[in-house]
């Protein structure tokens, strides 16, 4: 019995892996921090309240940067081998699901984008099959929804 090979052609359309993962980080974590800084600069609310802008900036920064570091630390060693990348896509896709309650930090978007990368859904990659592809697609959808949730939350805070 021979080992299964990935004979799918490389993806020619879409975003590159660094753009996808970096974009997820910027559009979720960095934008949310910028919104909190804007709240400090342009509103009269006390930023030092227990759940005010200062504590929000601290928690968003810590969780967002830690999520990016964990995602990259998992993805970089696994991306060289398709069989290991499959496992990484499943693990990171599961992490994107588990971290949904922390959407404000950008963690689900970061883990989801990295799962999509390892699943071969980025430009120049060979798409995985089976569970890895499913978790990559789920991760990609969670990344998009995470970015939308951050923008919606920031917009509602500004308008409300």
């Amino acid at each position: 019995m021979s080992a299964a090979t990935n004979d799918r052609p490389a993806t020619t359309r879409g975003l590159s892996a660094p753009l996808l993962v970096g974009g997820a980080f910027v559009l979720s974590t960095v934008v949310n921090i910028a919104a909190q800084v804007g709240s400090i600069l342009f509103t009269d609310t006390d930023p030092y309240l227990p759940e005010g802008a200062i504590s929000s900036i601290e928690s968003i920064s810590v969780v967002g940067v830690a999520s990016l570091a964990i995602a990259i630390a998992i993805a970089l060693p696994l991306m060289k081998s398709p069989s290991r990348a499959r496992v990484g896509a499943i693990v990171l896709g599961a992490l994107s699901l588990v971290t949904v309650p922390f959407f404000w930090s950008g963690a689900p978007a970061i883990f989801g984008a990295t799962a999509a990368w390892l699943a071969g859904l980025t430009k120049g990659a060979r798409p995985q099959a089976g569970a890895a592809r499913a978790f990559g697609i789920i991760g990609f959808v969670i990344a998009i929804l995470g970015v939308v949730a951050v923008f919606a939350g920031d917009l509602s805070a500004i308008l409300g």
Side-chain angles (χ1 to χ4, degrees):
M1 178 181 250
S2 65
T5 60
N6 188 359
D7 56 355
R8 298 173 191 263
T11 305
T12 57
R13 298 181 308 182
L15 299 173
S16 66
L19 187 59
L20 179 63
V21 176
F25 176 74
V26 168
L27 291 174
S28 59
T29 304
V30 175
V31 164
N32 208 358
I33 292 170
Q36 298 301 322
V37 170
S39 171
I40 293 170
L41 296 175
F42 301 114
T43 66
D44 292 335
T45 59
D46 183 9
Y48 294 101
L49 290 172
E51 292 184 17
I54 299 294
S55 64
S56 293
I57 290 171
E58 291 169 350
S59 62
I60 294 166
S61 300
V62 169
V63 176
V65 170
S67 299
L68 181 63
I70 291 168
I72 296 299
I74 291 171
L76 285 179
L78 300 180
M79 67 179 251
K80 294 178 174 98
S81 164
S83 62
R84 293 176 69 179
R86 279 187 213 106
V87 173
I90 293 168
V91 168
L92 288 164
L95 278 172
S96 72
L97 286 168
V98 171
T99 58
V100 164
F102 305 102
F103 73 93
W104 46 265
S105 67
I110 294 164
F111 289 133
T114 311
W117 167 30
L118 290 181
L121 302 179
T122 57
K123 187 175 187 176
R126 298 196 184 281
Q128 299 284 352
R133 184 175 179 92
F135 274 100
I137 292 169
I138 290 167
F140 188 74
V141 169
I142 288 175
I144 292 169
L145 293 176
V147 169
V148 169
V150 166
F151 274 94
D154 291 340
L155 189 60
S156 70
I158 290 169
L159 298 176

